């Protein structure tokens, strides 16, 4: 017995050390836990926990979730007098079960509307729609959803207001109205304006003017969501930094809400390219159908590292950084702006293996330990 004890002790210590090292394998959410939430966007299969492997990756790496599609109007409010919360309920329950920050995307957006909404033609009907829609959805998840994209993509690239069905029927006041209705339904939830390219100077000026106006008219805006559908070369870090500073100077929380980085050529960047030209099946436009070459893999890693370095510099102003999808295979960028391509915009590849981009984001924190 005397001899067995020390061996037993050593063996238990070894076992527990190996378990701890398993447990302590770093993850994005753990390493960034004192900085900002690290989020991801879930598709239907992920909400339904179809794949165990994907599910454990999601739970390990992320502490914030957004529904990529199922909370959009066409799904939650398919007919005038009919809401369908089957999927949204599942999504919220998933976040609660895993103690995640739950973001609602989105209440007022010109896209992915139910067909009946497209037919709303006058201000009385639109006012009634907005009141019913926002109040019903926000009230249902009161105290459970942590923040909402109240209005999504209301701006044109030059910073002017997009001629959406909301602007056409109600004029500019639809914006403040939406934020007021959301606040009334859940006074404590964080309310965001969310858009893409609002780190670019003209559109940023438009977003700042829009948010100021909503506030001046009595709307509560807690934050701005910069989507972050970016490229390897642009936008510049300078413009991203200016945006963080200018938005937070308005007293807003800054979130990066749909981050991904395309590595594929863009039809609009090709000199003289006609965007209406059919690029589908073109090898030139789909250069990496099998695998991403190391040189581009490295570029992507460097780009992610420089972006996250900037985010860390301004972590006091940033509430959340959410990737637009869990892995490359799921990304909308495989189908846009050209269908049937193979893109590599996220830190995990289609087989759920972490890429150099992932390591480069982790490394920024590990070296500081
Ligand atoms: O990723 C979403 C894709 O699956 C949908 O087909 C598409 C429909 O418009 O919307 C995508 O998500 C968008 C998001 O809701 C708002 N910002 C732009 C995103 C990429 O298009």
């Amino acid at each position: 017995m005397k001899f067995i004890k020390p061996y037993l002790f050593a063996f238990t210590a070894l076992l527990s050390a190996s378990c701890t090292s398993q447990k302590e394998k770093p993850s994005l959410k753990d390493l960034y836990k004192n900085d900002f939430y690290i989020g991801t966007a879930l598709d239907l299969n992920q909400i339904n926990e179809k794949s165990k492997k994907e599910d454990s990756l999601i739970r390990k790496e992320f502490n914030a979730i957004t529904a990529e599609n199922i909370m959009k109007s066409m799904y939650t409010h398919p007919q005038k007098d009919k809401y369908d919360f089957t999927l949204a309920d599942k999504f919220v329950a998933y976040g609660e079960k895993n103690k995640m920050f739950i973001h609602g995307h989105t209440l007022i957006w010109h896209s992915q509307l139910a067909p009946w909404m497209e037919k709303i033609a006058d201000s009385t009907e639109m006012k009634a729609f907005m009141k019913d829609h926002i109040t019903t959805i926000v009230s249902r998840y009161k105290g459970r959803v942590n923040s909402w994209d109240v209005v999504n993509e209301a701006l044109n690239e030059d910073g002017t207001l997009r001629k959406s069905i909301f602007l056409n029927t109600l004029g500019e006041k639809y914006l403040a109205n939406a934020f007021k209705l959301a606040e009334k339904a859940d006074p404590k939830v964080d309310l965001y304006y969310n858009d893409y390219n609002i780190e670019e100077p003209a559109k940023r000026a438009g977003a700042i003017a829009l948010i100021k106006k909503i506030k001046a008219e009595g709307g509560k805006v807690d934050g701005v969501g910069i989507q972050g559908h970016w490229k390897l070369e642009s936008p510049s870090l300078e413009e991203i930094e200016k945006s963080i500073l200018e938005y937070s100077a308005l007293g807003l929380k800054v979130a990066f809400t749909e981050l991904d980085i395309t590595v594929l050529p863009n039809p609009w960047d090709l000199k003289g390219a006609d965007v209406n030209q059919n690029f589908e099946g073109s090898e030139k436009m789909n250069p990496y159908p099998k695998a991403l070459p190391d040189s581009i893999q490295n570029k992507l890693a460097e780009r992610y590292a420089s972006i996250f370095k900037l985010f860390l510099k301004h972590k006091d102003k940033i509430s959340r950084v959410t990737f637009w999808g869990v892995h490359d295979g799921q990304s909308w960028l495989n189908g846009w702006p050209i269908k049937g391509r193979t893109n590599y915009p996220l830190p995990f590849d289609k087989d759920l293996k972490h890429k150099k981009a992932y390591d480069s984001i982790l490394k920024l924190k590990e070296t500081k330990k």
Side-chain angles (χ1 to χ4, degrees), residues 228-362:
H229 295 297
W230 290 338
K231 300 179 192 160
L232 283 173
E233 320 289 348
S234 70
S236 69
L237 293 178
E238 288 74 24
E239 293 306 340
I240 301 172
E241 182 162 39
K242 273 190 204 163
S243 305
I244 297 172
L245 294 172
E246 288 183 25
Y247 288 125
S248 85
L250 297 179
L252 299 168
K253 295 178 186 175
V254 180
F256 292 87
T257 54
E258 305 182 12
L259 185 59
D260 51 22
I261 297 170
T262 180
V263 299
L264 297 186
N266 187 325
W268 294 290
D269 290 343
L270 296 181
K271 277 220 172 89
D274 176 358
V275 279
N276 296 318
Q277 202 177 319
N278 189 1
F279 287 110
E280 273 167 50
S282 133
E283 268 176 45
K284 194 172 162 202
M285 298 309 280
N286 189 24
Y288 322 119
K290 296 252 151 59
L292 191 61
D294 277 350
S295 60
I296 315 288
Q297 195 79 262
N298 289 338
K299 266 195 186 170
L300 183 70
E302 281 161 26
R303 176 78 167 141
Y304 265 117
S306 59
I307 288 169
F308 271 77
K309 207 168 162 196
L310 181 66
F311 289 169
L312 282 172
K313 180 176 171 195
H314 295 293
K315 60 183 183 183
D316 57 322
K317 305 169 191 75
I318 294 174
S319 51
R320 174 171 59 93
V321 177
T322 287
F323 294 96
W324 205 236
V326 177
H327 61 88
D328 287 343
Q330 167 200 357
S331 171
W332 72 293
L333 289 168
N334 294 312
W336 190 91
I338 298 169
K339 283 198 188 116
R341 297 200 292 180
T342 308
N343 210 331
Y344 303 82
L346 296 165
F348 292 95
D349 71 14
K350 65 172 178 24
D351 302 316
L352 310 185
K353 296 216 175 70
H354 56 84
K355 295 157 64 180
K356 281 189 180 160
Y358 172 89
D359 300 330
S360 75
I361 300 171
L362 279 196

Side-chain angles (χ1 to χ4, degrees), residues 68-69 72 105 109 111-112 152-153 194 196 227 229 258 324 332:
E68 188 179 355
N69 284 300
K72 293 171 180 173
H105 174 76
W109 187 30
S111 196
Q112 288 182 285
N152 196 43
E153 301 175 6
N194 190 54
Y196 57 87
Q227 291 185 3
H229 295 297
E258 305 182 12
W324 205 236
W332 72 293

Side-chain angles (χ1 to χ4, degrees), residues 185-205:
D186 185 352
K188 288 195 188 142
V189 72
D190 270 358
L191 306 179
Y192 277 73
Y193 175 70
N194 190 54
D195 209 333
Y196 57 87
N197 291 351
I198 52 168
E199 66 284 346
E200 297 292 350
K203 203 167 180 181
R204 178 165 79 227

Side-chain angles (χ1 to χ4, degrees), residues 80 116-131 164-171 173-174 177:
K80 190 172 179 184
W116 73 270
M117 294 169 188
E118 312 256 14
K119 297 195 188 110
I120 299 177
D122 66 44
S123 63
T124 319
E125 231 188 312
M126 182 54 88
K127 238 180 144 177
F129 158 71
M130 280 185 55
K131 187 169 180 201
S164 66
I165 190 168
F166 310 109
L167 187 73
N168 293 345
T169 50
L170 289 175
K173 64 174 185 293
Y174 90 84
N177 193 29

Side-chain angles (χ1 to χ4, degrees), residues 22 24 65 77 80 107 113 117 149 182 216 222 266 291 347 362:
Q22 271 292 322
E24 281 177 0
I65 50 168
H77 198 174
K80 190 172 179 184
L107 296 168
L113 291 169
M117 294 169 188
D149 287 333
D222 300 289
N266 187 325
L362 279 196

